[in-house]
Structures are given as structure tokens and as C-alpha cells.
Amino acid sequence: MTKKELLDKNWLFHYGELERQPLKTTKKAVSLGGPTAPLANENGSRLPISAGGNHFLKLIAQGNAEQGLLNLAGTDLTDKLSDNWEKIDLPHDWNRKVPYVNQPEKLMSGSKPDAVGYYRKTFKLSASELNKTKTILHFDGVMRMADVWFNGVYLGHNNSGYNSFSFDITEMARYGEEGDNVILVRADTTTGAEGWWYEGAGIYRSVWLEHRPLVSIVSDDCYIYTKSLDNGNAILGIELSVKNDTDKSQTIAPTVSLDGKKVAQFNEIEISSYQKYKFEKTIEISNPKLWTPENPYCYNANFEIKTDKIQKKFGIHTFDYTTDGFFLNGQSYQLHGICEHQDFVGVGTAMNQDIVNYKVKVMKDMGVNAWRSTHHFASEELLNACDRLGIILINENRLLESSPWRVNDLRQIVLRDRMHPSIGFWSISNEELIGNTPLGSRIAQKLTRTIKKYDFEHLIIGAELLTPEGIIDENYVKNLDVLGVNYPEAGVMGSGAKLIHKKYPKLPMMSTENASYFSTRGIYKDNEEKKQCNNFGSYFSMVLPGVRKPGDPGVGGTAHPETVMSYLKDNPYMGGVFLWTGFDYYGEPSPFNWPAISSQFGIADLCGFPKDYYYYYQAHWTKKPMIHVMPSWNKDQLNLDKQGQVEIRAFSNAEKVELFVNDHSYGKKDLVDCTANWTIPYESGELKVVGYRKDEIVAQDSRFSNSKTKQVLPQKVYEGETTTLVALKAIDENGKFVENANETVNLDVSEGKIIGNGNGNPIDQNMDNEKVSLFNGLALVIVSKNSDLHTHLN
């Protein structure tokens, strides 16, 4: 059976170029040597040499075979590593520990320098694997351009940081007493960025060994898809391929089962030596369990032959999109989506499954049912989380280019991902300058043709730039199932989307990016020095410097949340929204410059702690009674007018809401757009709101005026398979949350390890795992599971 072996532990990492850069070509086989092959303290010779070869090397170098290698092949004879290699585990983003740099050209990408890094690992293979399996070395992702060496051989190159790639090392591997196997990887971020956001650096996803039997099922060719749903039955298409890597013909009769029940039995087929055969069948399933975000039922699909079995998750569902919007399983369905990059506080892009699960859960709790992987292919971890937790995913191609390697990357990812239950859409690009041009149309045709060749179920979109005049290229748009447009609600885009809809009433349209609203968690005053934005609405602008006036272009961000939801209500044919962004992310610190190092577009901060407008969306998108009141109730954090009055805002999905200060009621109000507003005199103590349905209290929320921090309380916010996320919360002598606490906390663990930390402060540049500053009362620490974390106020 096919087995996967995780190779994430016990790597060595070297920051910067090696004193002697390994060669890629050589005059004799397997002879590159140096760090690409076993060293003096490792098992196995630099390269296996025959008796004749050894004799020849001595002849050409006065009896010194080592010198002969140098003379003949230019072999690197280095027999040990320098002292500046460090032990690490994967996933690993080296940029998280590299100092920030104040360079304007690096600001958008996170104020980190470009560099080169090397990774090296040794591993053993049992002699029992020899001539019994195919051995594949698989990388889930390396940022950015990657070169890979193995056992003295240059394996090859990978261009993009957003695709996975593999090498067949079966014949080149060393088995049993032959010695250690050596992997060397060079990652280079100096060759040009792929994105204008923080991308990270290094082997930031997992590495695997895959051991496939010589008669094996091809995993990427295993495909079940929903053809139709009708009268309570599902018509499914099934495809799989079997490869025979033996020197004899093999008779194969695959079976396919769903949740342990056999649903397909293929007839026996004879597959010739070293050939592949594709099996196809259509089946019918009665009364299927359908996958939806509300009930994300995943079937366990098994593809099986005598020598191999492949297991995948599968969801039965249908997707459609018309001029009335999106339809899931034949029913109209509004998309409550977010856009999101792939980084997180303290770890950068080196996110494991647990951290991704946490991120998806935070958004799911807000009512999110859709996710756009912006602007790159989704990771396996994100796909797995969306499958299980119930999120419809837009999987996005990086660039609108048809170079051979980009088309091949797209083909590989479509084959790899197409069966994931969560995928609803493929996006061919985002905001490309050549979109809606004849050149762009030719390229888009190639990309959509590539997707549709392998994926028969999902819809194709493009996230396109709008003009206020609503100009599009009709030939370009014909390549898409749905025209996606970014920020149709924004003033700077005018009536562009509405003009397109009016001119092309039969063209399906989707909101693929919305809002970009500035806010800093826990902040209720704009502060240019500290690079902070008021949660009520900032007067900083995306397009003009300094504090602006109401109505100036881009004030508060591209569009306020209320404008986004109003536009959706008035234009339901847009299918829903995809808010920019779910979380703050490193890089793109608009509207500020240095020392800001992270964005402020997130509905949650870098740690996943919700900002106030998280609850505005939650009020719209969830049914469980909830209420939230803002602002903080500490006078130093508030904007008081000349009369000492302060603005209060509550978000709720109740019918009415009542405001209290120290048990004095300011009366009940009806909620409009899930919102109620007051302006009242400030009085220290307790600020409280109560939500009512049919005159019964269904929810309440309070904020308190705080005294000084007495303790820092650790609270687990997510415990995964290998990782625990712990919130640090400042508490005063009355047991209340201290919302204006900014003390430094020293950290240590008696068991396990600290993986990273952070606090959501957009100018925090701390990289020390052993301390973290609170920001408005909170910080987050990521530790290995079962770690015993200790905190001490500095």
C-alpha cells in the first residue's frame, strides 16, 4: 500500500549563501559531493565507486582517489558543515527571525530583506524498500525559487512558492547498508517577488517521502465528482488510473467505496509493463448526504487494488451561478466570504494544520461560509480545514500567464485539489493589468481550458479591476463562468459594476473583494505616531497623506462595512461578499509607513482576536443570540467631545437593545442594520448593553473601567494535534479585563517549546519568543501541545 512518511523533523538550516555554492552539473554521475552527499560523520561514502573507478582515480592523481575526484569531476571534498548551521523543524519561515529593515521598497512586503537560505537533512531507507516500492520526495511548498540536490545529484528547480512539487528518487536513493540519504535545498527570495504582501521565506510547508508499490493507483488521477442531483439521487462520475512499474503485465480490477460501501467494481484489465491505464464509470447514489457549510458531510472514498489503496475525502454537491447569484445544491445561497493571505502572528507563513484550523474556526464563528485564497493556490492545510469545518473555497491561480511552467503548476494543482469538498470556484487571476485585453483573453482561454480539462464540477471566475465607466472586453469575459469584480461598492469605483450589469444583463457577476476597512483592535482614536486607526471609522486615507476630512477619497479604507452590506442588499445578483481581509497580515501597512509592519484591514487582528466590526458581521450572519458594545470604557482610550460625551455603538441580532451605564438605562432602541448608536456623557464604571427578543433578554455585553493589571491570565483558545494557542489576558484586582494594558510579559516553558508569539500591534517588531508585550490587554503565545507555559510580568 502507498505510505507517506513525514520528513519535517531534524533539519539543519543555514541563513545566507554557502562559502562554496553547490554545482548543478558535473562531469561524472552522482559526484557533486560536499553538503549534497554524506559527510565524514555520516553513514555511507561520498559516492559509490567501483573497483575500476577507484583504480582510475588513483592513476590520475598519484594514488590519491579523493584528489582524483577533484581533478576529474570537480567534486566538492568538504567533509563537515560550518558552525553556522542551526537545527530546526519544518514548517519554517526564516524571515520571522530576521530583523526588520526600514526600506521603503520593502514596506509592502513586510519590511524584511531578501536572502538565500539552505536546508539539509539526512534519512535512512530500509533495504526492504529496494525493488519493492517507488520512492517520491515531495515538497508541499518552498518560498521562493528552490533548487534541490540529493545524494550528490542535482534533482531540479521549482519557480513558485505557491505550488507543490515532487521528485522520483527511487533509483538514486541509498538503501540499507549503502548509507544515509542526503537532501539539500536552496531557497532564494532575491530573484523577484510573486506577491506584494509578506510571502515568507524557506521550506514553509511540509516535506514527505511517499512509498508507492510498483503496481499503484495514481493519487492525483483518483477523482469522484457530482454530475447531477435529481429526485433525491446523485449521479457521480468516477475516474482513477493504475500504473504498472514492473517488467510484467498485470491484471487489475479496481474497486471504489464510499464510507466502506462498495459503489464501483471495474472489470479486469491487463496493463502492460511500465504502462498506465485509466478507468472510468458513472454511478448513481440514492438519498446522498449532501455537503454544505452548515452540514459539511465528507464521504470517505477508497480507491483500491490488491497492492494499493488511496483514501480521499469527497463531498456530494452541485454549484451553479446565474444572474440571480450563487446556487448550492440547486438552492439560492448567499456567500459570506473573506479574502485571506497565508500568514499568522509569530510564525509568518510556516503554519501547520492546527494554526490553519484555528484561523478557519475564528471566521466560521463569525458566520463566514466562504473563503478566497488570495492570491495564490490554497494550501493542503487550508483545504482540509474548509472541507471539515464547512467553507466554500475560491482557489486562486497566482498570475494570468501561460508560460509552460505556470500552466504546468496550474495543471498539477487542479489535479491535486479538485476532489476536495470545499472547492467551489477556480479563480484564474486577481486584478491583472492585462485582464480585459486581447492578450489577456488569449491567456485566459489557455488557463480555463487547462482547468476544465481536469475539473468537471467547479466554476471559473476572475477577480477583475473595475473602472467607473464599467469597461470590459467581451471576448475576455467569455472565458469566465462568472465575472468577479473587486470593490463594486467603493466610491472610487463609481457605478462601474452597475453599468456592466445594465449593459450585460445576462452576465453572471460576483463580488470577489470588498471593504478594506482600517481598524486597530481596541483603538478608538486615530493616532499617526503609533499607526493606529479608530474602530468607529478612521480619518486616515488610502490615497491621501495624514488625517483627512469626512468625504475625502479613501477615508477609512476603500469602503465601510455598512456600505458593503447595503450594496449587497441592493444588488443580490452579486452573490455575496468576500471581505478584505479576515485577519490582519504582515506587510501592506496601508495607510501608514514605517515603523508599521502589518496591515489593518483585518476583521480580526494578527492573533485572531476579533475587532469590533467582527460582531457587526456576526450579527448579520449568525442566528444564535449575540450582542457586542463598543468602545472600551477607559477614559484615556476614548474620544470625548467638549461636553464630555462619547459615542456608543452596539451590534446585535436581537430585536431591541438597551444601554446601561452603572445600571442607569438610556432606553431601548430598535436595531437598524443590526446596529444601535447613542451619544452619552462618560461616567466611569460599567458600560452594558442588553438584547431583547419579544421582550425577553437573550444576550448582553459589558465593558468596564479598569484599574492596573494585577495578573496575566493564560487561556487556551485552540488546542490541536501538535500545537496549542494560548491567549494572555490582563486582569485587574476586580477580576476584570484590563483593556488598556500594554505591559511586557516574560515567557518560559518547563515542558515543550514556545513556537511564536505576538499581540496585534501594527508596529510591534518583537522577535523574541521569551517575551511579548500586551497590546490593549491581550497577546497570543503559540506552544507545542502539552507545554507548561509560565508568564511573569516584567
Side-chain angles (χ1 to χ4, degrees):
M1 300 298 173
T2 295
K3 298 180 296 182
K4 290 184 71 175
E5 179 183 349
L6 189 62
L7 291 186
D8 281 359
K9 299 295 184 182
N10 301 318
W11 287 73
L12 293 174
F13 170 67
H14 181 281
Y15 181 74
E17 189 56 82
L18 297 181
E19 184 176 346
R20 177 169 178 170
Q21 187 173 340
L23 300 175
K24 297 179 181 178
T25 57
T26 181
K27 306 176 186 72
K28 292 293 180 180
V30 197
S31 64
L32 289 174
T36 75
L39 300 172
N41 63 334
E42 295 166 343
N43 294 321
S45 59
R46 184 175 282 115
L47 73 157
I49 303 173
S50 68
N54 192 57
H55 178 65
F56 179 71
L57 291 174
K58 290 181 178 180
L59 285 177
I60 64 172
Q62 294 78 46
N64 187 331
E66 288 279 285
Q67 186 63 40
L69 275 177
L70 181 62
N71 295 348
L72 179 67
T75 302
D76 182 353
L77 302 180
T78 302
D79 61 4
K80 67 177 182 178
L81 300 178
S82 63
D83 293 336
N84 48 4
W85 289 78
E86 61 176 305
K87 292 182 179 179
I88 59 101
D89 291 332
L90 304 181
H92 180 251
D93 175 359
W94 81 58
N95 259 342
R96 295 319 313 144
K97 296 301 180 184
V98 175
Y100 291 91
V101 292
N102 182 8
Q103 297 177 7
E105 68 273 17
K106 300 295 184 187
L107 187 70
M108 292 284 280
S109 57
S111 297
K112 294 284 186 172
D114 288 318
V116 170
Y118 283 83
Y119 295 83
R120 189 176 188 272
K121 180 177 176 61
T122 63
F123 65 93
K124 298 181 183 299
L125 286 174
S126 168
S128 64
E129 301 280 356
L130 184 60
N131 299 323
K132 300 290 180 61
T133 62
K134 298 287 285 184
T135 304
I136 310 299
L137 176 60
H138 180 83
F139 294 85
D140 281 348
V142 180
M143 185 62 67
R144 181 164 323 108
M145 285 199 169
D147 291 291
V148 183
W149 292 261
F150 180 71
N151 288 351
V153 175
Y154 177 65
L155 285 184
H157 177 81
N158 187 72
N159 283 314
S160 176
Y162 296 109
N163 67 305
S164 58
F165 57 98
S166 300
F167 300 101
D168 185 341
I169 59 171
T170 305
E171 294 77 24
M172 292 177 287
R174 298 184 178 194
Y175 299 87
E177 297 301 318
E178 292 177 346
D180 292 344
N181 292 280
V182 178
I183 307 168
L184 182 72
V185 179
R186 181 181 186 269
D188 187 352
T189 69
T190 69
T191 57
E194 288 190 83
W196 50 93
W197 54 89
Y198 176 82
E199 296 189 286
I203 308 181
Y204 73 105
R205 294 179 182 168
S206 289
V207 178
W208 304 83
L209 276 185
E210 191 173 276
H211 305 282
R212 301 175 187 169
L214 297 182
V215 181
S216 64
I217 300 171
V218 181
S219 180
D220 284 349
D221 290 354
C222 294
Y223 185 29
I224 306 178
Y225 59 97
T226 308
K227 287 189 168 184
S228 64
L229 293 173
D230 189 33
N231 297 323
N233 296 330
I235 306 299
L236 307 181
I238 299 178
E239 295 182 359
L240 73 146
S241 295
V242 176
K243 190 175 183 183
N244 175 14
D245 281 313
T246 73
D247 57 5
K248 297 178 181 178
S249 294
Q250 302 288 334
T251 301
I252 304 298
T255 62
V256 178
S257 63
L258 292 178
D259 285 356
K261 180 181 178 181
K262 186 188 295 185
V263 296
Q265 172 70 66
F266 291 90
N267 294 330
E268 286 189 347
I269 295 292
E270 187 172 289
I271 305 177
S272 300
S273 174
Y274 300 106
Q275 298 299 310
K276 185 172 80 169
Y277 186 86
K278 183 177 181 180
F279 296 83
E280 297 180 83
K281 188 181 284 288
T282 297
I283 65 168
E284 184 172 349
I285 301 292
S286 299
N287 302 312
K289 298 176 182 178
L290 301 185
W291 187 98
T292 67
E294 293 71 31
N295 181 33
Y297 187 83
C298 297
Y299 284 90
N300 292 308
N302 285 338
F303 304 79
E304 195 164 1
I305 59 177
K306 289 181 180 179
T307 56
D308 199 11
K309 180 165 68 174
I310 298 294
Q311 297 177 313
K312 290 189 174 185
K313 297 294 185 183
F314 169 64
I316 296 178
H317 43 30
T318 61
F319 306 106
D320 194 17
Y321 207 106
T322 73
T323 51
D324 292 324
F326 178 62
F327 289 79
L328 174 64
N329 301 329
Q331 304 296 315
S332 178
Y333 193 90
Q334 191 175 87
L335 297 166
H336 305 153
I338 55 105
C339 302
E340 185 63 17
H341 287 316
Q342 54 170 14
D343 67 335
F344 190 68
V345 74
V347 296
T349 56
M351 296 192 298
N352 62 20
Q353 187 68 64
D354 292 333
I355 295 172
V356 175
N357 288 349
Y358 167 73
K359 290 187 69 172
V360 174
K361 183 180 182 299
V362 167
M363 288 295 111
K364 185 78 176 181
D365 289 346
M366 190 181 86
V368 164
N369 59 26
W371 192 293
R372 179 171 165 227
S373 181
T374 46
H375 304 291
H376 43 71
F377 301 126
S379 69
E380 189 75 12
E381 290 80 8
L382 177 60
L383 289 160
N384 290 337
C386 291
D387 291 346
R388 184 174 58 83
L389 294 175
I391 298 288
I392 296 169
L393 187 78
I394 297 177
N395 206 344
E396 190 157 86
N397 179 53
R398 176 67 283 271
L399 286 177
L400 190 67
E401 291 179 353
S402 56
S403 57
W405 69 268
R406 284 219 182 265
V407 173
N408 188 54
D409 283 357
L410 176 62
R411 181 188 67 83
Q412 288 180 334
I413 294 296
V414 171
L415 284 168
R416 186 196 74 178
D417 293 351
R418 60 185 174 172
M419 198 170 143
H420 276 279
S422 55
I423 292 183
F425 303 88
W426 291 98
S427 171
I428 61 170
S429 63
N430 170 73
E431 294 182 348
E432 289 295 346
L433 303 179
I434 63 167
N436 285 289
T437 68
L439 171 64
S441 183
R442 296 195 298 272
I443 295 172
Q445 185 180 49
K446 178 69 172 284
L447 300 184
T448 56
R449 188 167 67 242
T450 300
I451 295 169
K452 289 184 176 182
K453 182 178 180 180
Y454 302 106
D455 187 316
F456 313 136
E457 189 174 14
H458 304 117
L459 302 170
I460 295 179
I461 66 172
E464 303 298 328
L465 289 163
L466 269 175
T467 67
E469 301 79 18
I471 300 169
I472 61 172
D473 183 286
E474 292 184 43
N475 289 328
Y476 178 82
V477 172
K478 286 177 183 177
N479 294 298
L480 309 173
D481 295 319
V482 186
L483 172 64
V485 291
N486 290 354
Y487 304 104
E489 74 283 349
V492 293
M493 299 303 177
S495 300
K498 292 181 179 179
L499 291 171
I500 295 171
H501 182 60
K502 183 177 181 180
K503 187 174 181 180
Y504 305 97
K506 296 183 179 180
L507 175 64
M509 295 177 64
M510 172 193 273
S511 287
T512 41
E513 198 165 310
N514 308 88
S516 290
Y517 179 71
F518 305 140
S519 61
T520 313
R521 178 184 53 79
I523 294 299
Y524 304 99
K525 301 177 183 179
D526 281 338
N527 188 317
E528 188 161 13
E529 180 184 358
K530 295 182 178 179
K531 314 302 182 187
Q532 295 173 351
C533 292
N534 186 348
N535 275 264
F536 280 104
S538 174
Y539 284 109
F540 292 112
S541 165
M542 292 189 73
V543 295
L544 297 169
V547 177
R548 312 307 304 177
K549 304 186 300 295
D552 281 355
V555 164
T558 306
H560 284 225
E562 293 87 352
T563 306
V564 172
M565 297 302 282
S566 175
Y567 188 93
L568 174 59
K569 182 179 179 181
D570 294 341
N571 302 277
Y573 63 89
M574 297 299 286
V577 295
F578 283 85
L579 304 168
W580 190 268
T581 51
F583 298 75
D584 287 343
Y585 53 93
Y586 290 114
E588 207 170 0
S590 180
F592 300 116
N593 50 26
W594 182 267
I597 46 85
S598 67
S599 78
Q600 300 197 46
F601 300 115
I603 304 163
D605 71 6
L606 275 167
C607 305
F609 299 139
K611 303 179 188 179
D612 290 288
Y613 267 86
Y614 177 99
Y615 301 98
Y616 171 76
Y617 296 114
Q618 189 181 61
H620 278 278
W621 291 345
T622 65
K623 294 180 180 179
K624 182 179 178 181
M626 56 74 60
I627 194 168
H628 174 79
V629 66
M630 59 188 287
S632 160
W633 208 232
N634 293 311
K635 190 173 183 179
D636 65 304
Q637 294 181 281
L638 302 178
N639 262 332
L640 303 182
D641 64 17
K642 293 180 180 178
Q643 287 74 43
Q645 298 199 112
V646 62
E647 183 180 4
I648 308 296
R649 185 168 297 165
F651 302 126
S652 180
N653 55 13
E655 295 168 354
K656 294 180 181 291
V657 61
E658 186 174 10
L659 174 67
F660 297 86
V661 175
N662 298 330
D663 293 328
H664 169 72
S665 174
Y666 283 87
K668 292 182 180 179
K669 285 194 174 188
D670 293 326
L671 288 141
V672 179
D673 189 27
C674 298
T675 306
N677 290 289
W678 297 262
T679 301
I680 64 171
Y682 175 76
E683 179 186 336
S684 67
E686 180 187 15
L687 174 72
K688 182 172 73 173
V689 286
V690 176
Y692 298 88
R693 288 181 182 172
K694 297 180 180 179
D695 295 323
E696 290 187 3
I697 296 175
V698 293
Q700 63 183 43
D701 185 37
S702 295
R703 313 285 280 261
F704 295 90
S705 305
N706 309 124
S707 55
K708 292 183 178 180
T709 302
K710 183 179 180 181
Q711 65 172 320
V712 175
L713 186 65
Q715 296 179 332
K716 291 181 182 179
V717 292
Y718 189 84
E719 186 165 21
E721 293 295 320
T722 64
T723 311
T724 301
L725 284 74
V726 181
L728 304 184
K729 190 173 184 179
I731 302 297
D732 68 11
E733 60 186 3
N734 299 313
K736 305 301 183 185
F737 173 44
V738 185
E739 294 201 48
N740 55 359
N742 294 289
E743 294 94 338
T744 297
V745 182
N746 294 321
L747 310 169
D748 64 78
V749 288
S750 53
E751 298 289 341
K753 66 178 180 178
I754 299 172
I755 298 169
N757 65 57
N759 57 22
N761 183 347
I763 64 171
D764 183 74
Q765 297 185 11
N766 173 57
M767 295 181 293
D768 186 347
N769 276 0
E770 296 181 356
K771 68 177 182 180
V772 64
S773 294
L774 300 172
F775 180 63
N776 293 328
L778 295 173
L780 187 80
V781 184
I782 307 167
V783 296
S784 57
K785 190 172 182 178
N786 299 323
S787 294
D788 190 4
L789 176 66
H790 308 283
T791 62
H792 317 277
L793 278 171
N794 199 1

